[in-house]
Amino acid sequence: MTAAPRGVPVISRWKQSPDGSISGVISGSGEFKDGEPVTTSPIRGKAVGGTVVVTKSGSKYFLSGGDSPAKASNNAKAAADARAKARQEAAEAKKAAREEARKVAAAKKQAQLEAAQAKKAAQEEARQAALAEKQRIAEERKQAQLEAKKKAEEAKAALAAKSKQASNPKAEAASVAPVMGRPTISLFGLGGGDDKVAPAPSPAAPKVTKKQPPPAVKKQAPRGVPTLSGWRLNGDGSISGSISGSPNFKDGERVTTSQIVNGRIESGSVVKTGSGSQYFLG
């Protein structure tokens, strides 16, 4: 049936509710205006488009347009499937986001671990380098002390030998010319008295001339170089003594230098310390 029977209102754009009632837009009714939405009481039987349905109260309506129950069911199923698919896609997107966040966190943790390991390795390398440098400096200092001690011992031995030689000079034997005795004169036959012989005078004692060493020329400190008097060499290679001619100390003040690294450690020499200071050994 394509048209409503005479006197039967038409309900278009209709749908059936679960309780069996029909909702839609009515026309051709003496009780409602055309286009007014209405909801019937539950109908008897199935709601099929293009047919007349009868409510339990006896009212008749022609169903035109709208959706049939089968189509409505299909639409509802499609909508439900779409909602389920949307929920599944949302769940998968949420799961993917969690996985991505987990990967980012793991990568960040790995980067932090690698940075910490690199920092630790750099610190260990710096510690090893510092230890090696410390050992090198200690070895150089020890070697310098040994060399300074050796030089000090050599200088001390040379100074002792020189002092011993100066305190025991060899006396040169002076040459003495022999003295001839005077001849005796016989007085016999020259008149009176017995013959007498004049005694020969005693030879004079030989005169020994001692050769004196030339006077030592006392060395003077170069201009601007302080003088250390009454000095002595210490075991660590430094020198202690009374200083004079220094702008930093009073004359006669006792001082101890740093380690001597250059110069002969003997009186009359200029020596130089590791820090570059110079001193004249008086």
Side-chain angles (χ1 to χ4, degrees):
M1 187 181 296
T2 59
R6 178 180 284 185
V8 178
V10 178
I11 296 178
S12 59
R13 299 198 298 273
W14 59 271
K15 67 178 180 178
Q16 188 174 21
S17 300
D19 63 352
S21 62
I22 301 294
S23 297
V25 177
I26 196 167
S27 62
S29 172
E31 298 179 1
F32 302 95
K33 294 180 180 180
D34 288 349
E36 186 175 352
V38 295
T39 298
T40 70
S41 59
I43 66 171
R44 300 170 185 172
K46 294 181 180 181
V48 179
T51 63
V52 176
V53 294
V54 181
T55 66
K56 290 182 180 181
S57 63
S59 300
K60 294 181 180 181
Y61 298 97
F62 179 77
L63 301 179
S64 176
D67 293 329
S68 65
K71 188 175 181 180
S73 176
N74 291 337
N75 291 341
K77 185 175 183 302
D81 291 344
R83 288 193 298 271
K85 184 177 180 181
R87 286 195 298 270
Q88 183 179 1
E89 291 177 350
E92 290 177 353
K94 186 175 181 181
K95 182 178 179 181
R98 286 199 299 266
E99 181 64 18
E100 183 65 21
R102 186 191 68 79
K103 290 181 179 179
V104 171
K108 184 177 179 181
K109 184 177 180 180
Q110 182 65 23
Q112 291 175 345
L113 179 62
E114 291 177 356
Q117 291 176 345
K119 183 178 179 181
K120 184 177 180 180
Q123 290 176 344
E124 178 63 19
E125 184 177 356
R127 189 185 70 83
Q128 292 292 341
L131 181 61
E133 180 65 13
K134 185 177 180 181
Q135 291 176 346
R136 184 188 66 80
I137 293 174
E139 186 65 25
E140 289 182 354
R141 183 178 297 173
K142 182 179 179 181
Q143 188 65 26
Q145 289 176 347
L146 291 176
E147 292 179 358
K149 184 177 180 181
K150 182 178 179 181
K151 290 182 179 180
E153 290 176 351
E154 291 176 353
K156 187 175 181 181
L159 185 61
K162 187 175 181 181
S163 299
K164 184 177 180 181
Q165 184 179 4
S167 62
N168 298 307
K170 292 182 179 181
E172 295 186 1
S175 59
V176 180
V179 180
M180 302 297 294
R182 294 182 181 180
T184 57
I185 300 174
S186 175
L187 299 179
F188 181 76
L190 293 181
D194 297 330
D195 291 337
K196 293 183 180 180
V197 178
S202 300
K207 186 176 182 181
V208 179
T209 303
K210 184 177 181 181
K211 185 177 181 181
Q212 298 293 333
V217 179
K218 187 175 182 180
K219 293 183 179 180
Q220 298 294 329
R223 170 179 274 181
V225 178
T227 300
L228 289 177
S229 302
W231 59 271
R232 65 181 177 85
L233 179 64
N234 301 316
D236 60 355
S238 63
I239 292 180
S240 299
S242 299
I243 196 168
S244 60
S246 171
N248 301 322
F249 301 95
K250 296 179 180 180
D251 288 352
E253 186 174 351
R254 296 289 296 180
V255 297
T256 298
T257 71
S258 56
Q259 188 182 45
I260 303 300
V261 297
N262 193 10
R264 295 181 62 84
I265 305 177
E266 60 183 18
S267 296
S269 296
V270 175
V271 294
K272 188 176 182 180
T273 66
S275 61
S277 301
Q278 291 183 326
Y279 298 96
F280 177 76
L281 302 180

